[in-house]
Amino acid sequence: MKRWHWGVVAAVVALVAVGGIRAIGARRAQQEAQAALAAQRAQPIIELARTDVVRADTHELRRVLPISGSIKAVNSAFVKARVPGELQDLKVREGDSVQAGQVLARIERVEGQARLNQAQEQADAAKAQIDIAERQFNNNKALVDQGFISRSALDTSLNNLTAAQATHKAALAAVDLARKTLEDTVLRAPISGVISQRLAQPGERVAVDSKILEIVDLSHLELEAMLTAADSVDLRVGQEAALQVEGSARPVAARVARINPSAQPGSRSVLAYLEIADTTGLRQGLFAQGSVTMGSSSALAVPLSAVRTDRPAPYVQLVEGGKVVHRTVQMAQRGETDKETWVAVSGVPAGSQVILGHVGPLREGTLVKFTGGPPPQPSPGAPASKSPGA
């Protein structure tokens, strides 16, 4: 009887122990589920706008070279005084159009006219001396033939005639020089263009080589760009460029016309000259900047701003399965697409949703949801992306 009693007690204790163990396991499972749910609720969800991501697609990358510089006239000239004197009849001012050969001003010509008259009188006197020497030579020649004078007297008269002729030639040259000096008192436009500077006023006494006016030809303008030695290596005559001129909203097309064969002393920079196609509304001295197209290539690319470099290896942030994923990438050539710099990359599947750089760094595994519309689709007209195995 006692053995049976103890057996029942043992069975009851065993049942109680098993029930307790089951209750403890159920409570622990419930606690773990509640902890997981709480953790899931506590995990932040990042909201991204449609404009915060872009698809990695195949793009035509234009390799460009940034340039900047001042616009200059291909043809310009200074009108200078060639003779000293008082400046007269200067009527043109800045902004006036002039034609090549047009009379712009005069230098007082009284002194020049007097010198021309003096030279002419000296030439006439030299011509009279030739007549006298020639008659004397002819007379002496007749006397020599008759035997009245010696041969040496004839030689002397011949020398006098030769000297008189040389003096007359020198006098005529002096007349030409005086006439040229008188003509130089008239200041004419060497080229057609517009007056950009008036550097003297009527009534002033100017010296030789004094600058009076500056003329620029606005029909032919070019950009003078200073390039580093490395940038100038791939630059070629004929390459196209797009410029933006200060104060003008319209883009300006240009073409590399010339490249200086010598580097500048000290800076070792190289000057390149870009011919501007349409000069309407442009002026000399305006600042312009833009880029020269060096070539193009097609590649799978992402915006350069989306590539992060805060780790030893560059990477991009993707949205995959509603979460943030980090992918290490290898960068290749860079280029322009829709006025934005893109870079060819490998290590990213085509069509991936790439988070742009302005969003900032996100922890891998962060949940993501989009607001304001679905994720971006490939841009219209963009080349179709191909999978690596295609």
Side-chain angles (χ1 to χ4, degrees):
M1 187 67 181
K2 290 183 179 181
R3 290 180 180 179
W4 176 84
H5 176 73
W6 286 110
V8 171
V9 171
V12 171
V13 170
L15 291 174
V16 171
V18 171
I21 292 174
R22 289 181 177 178
I24 293 174
R27 181 176 298 178
R28 183 175 299 174
Q30 184 180 5
Q31 291 177 350
E32 290 178 353
Q34 291 176 352
L37 181 61
Q40 183 176 2
R41 291 178 179 177
Q43 185 177 1
I45 299 178
I46 300 298
E47 294 185 354
L48 295 179
R50 186 177 61 87
T51 56
D52 291 334
V53 295
V54 66
R55 283 186 178 272
D57 283 322
T58 300
H59 288 268
E60 190 73 18
L61 301 180
R62 294 187 304 109
R63 189 164 59 94
V64 298
L65 173 65
I67 56 171
S68 61
S70 298
I71 295 177
K72 293 186 176 182
V74 177
N75 299 318
S76 63
F78 281 101
V79 178
K80 298 182 179 180
R82 297 182 180 179
V83 295
E86 180 182 323
L87 184 62
Q88 300 175 344
D89 299 334
L90 178 60
K91 298 180 180 179
V92 294
R93 293 185 175 274
E94 292 85 350
D96 289 339
S97 298
V98 297
Q99 298 297 321
Q102 178 181 339
V103 176
L104 304 179
R106 301 179 188 273
I107 304 295
E108 189 269 325
R109 55 185 290 156
V110 174
E111 183 178 351
Q113 186 64 56
R115 289 183 177 179
L116 177 59
N117 294 339
Q118 181 184 18
Q120 187 63 57
E121 292 294 336
Q122 291 176 347
D124 294 342
K127 182 64 172 61
Q129 291 297 322
I130 290 178
D131 295 339
I132 295 172
E134 189 173 3
R135 284 195 301 270
Q136 184 178 4
F137 172 74
N138 292 333
N139 292 336
N140 288 344
K141 184 178 181 182
L143 293 174
V144 168
D145 293 339
Q146 297 174 8
F148 291 110
I149 62 175
S150 64
R151 188 74 185 182
S152 61
L154 179 62
D155 293 339
T156 300
S157 62
L158 178 60
N159 291 337
N160 292 337
L161 176 59
T162 303
Q165 291 173 340
T167 302
H168 182 246
K169 291 180 179 179
L172 291 178
V175 171
D176 293 338
L177 181 60
R179 184 176 290 110
K180 176 63 169 60
T181 301
L182 187 61
E183 293 174 354
D184 287 343
T185 60
V186 180
L187 304 181
R188 301 178 183 273
I191 62 173
S192 299
V194 181
I195 303 296
S196 65
Q197 291 189 80
R198 175 167 156 163
L199 304 170
Q201 300 300 326
E204 291 185 18
R205 184 169 182 84
V206 295
V208 177
D209 285 338
S210 296
K211 295 179 179 179
I212 309 299
L213 299 166
E214 183 185 12
I215 304 174
V216 296
D217 181 7
L218 297 181
S219 63
H220 296 86
L221 299 177
E222 63 184 9
L223 174 71
E224 183 181 80
M226 186 174 294
L227 307 175
T228 63
D231 289 339
S232 66
V233 172
D234 295 331
L235 193 67
R236 298 290 183 270
V237 173
Q239 289 175 333
E240 301 294 331
L243 305 178
Q244 193 70 43
V245 182
E246 61 176 346
S248 177
R250 68 179 180 90
V252 177
R255 182 184 65 88
V256 179
R258 307 187 313 281
I259 303 173
N260 198 313
S262 302
Q264 300 296 304
S267 64
R268 302 302 179 192
S269 57
V270 177
L271 291 177
Y273 304 90
L274 283 75
E275 180 182 3
I276 298 176
D278 184 6
T279 61
T280 304
L282 301 182
R283 297 290 183 267
Q284 178 174 250
L286 293 179
F287 180 78
Q289 58 183 354
S291 58
V292 178
T293 301
M294 309 293 285
S296 63
S297 60
S298 182
L300 180 68
V302 299
L304 180 61
S305 60
V307 180
R308 306 199 60 82
T309 57
D310 51 2
R311 292 181 181 177
Y315 69 98
V316 294
Q317 301 180 132
L318 307 180
V319 177
E320 292 182 358
K323 295 182 179 181
V324 175
V325 177
H326 294 174
R327 297 276 186 176
T328 302
V329 295
Q330 293 78 40
M331 294 188 293
Q333 71 271 16
R334 301 181 184 183
E336 292 280 334
T337 297
D338 296 331
K339 298 182 180 181
E340 185 180 4
T341 302
W342 287 57
V343 58
V345 295
S346 58
V348 175
S352 299
Q353 298 177 13
V354 181
I355 301 175
L356 295 176
H358 67 265
V359 177
L362 300 177
R363 188 174 61 183
E364 192 168 15
T366 302
L367 298 179
V368 174
K369 72 175 183 178
F370 289 96
T371 61
Q377 301 298 321
S379 57
S385 302
K386 297 180 179 181
S387 61

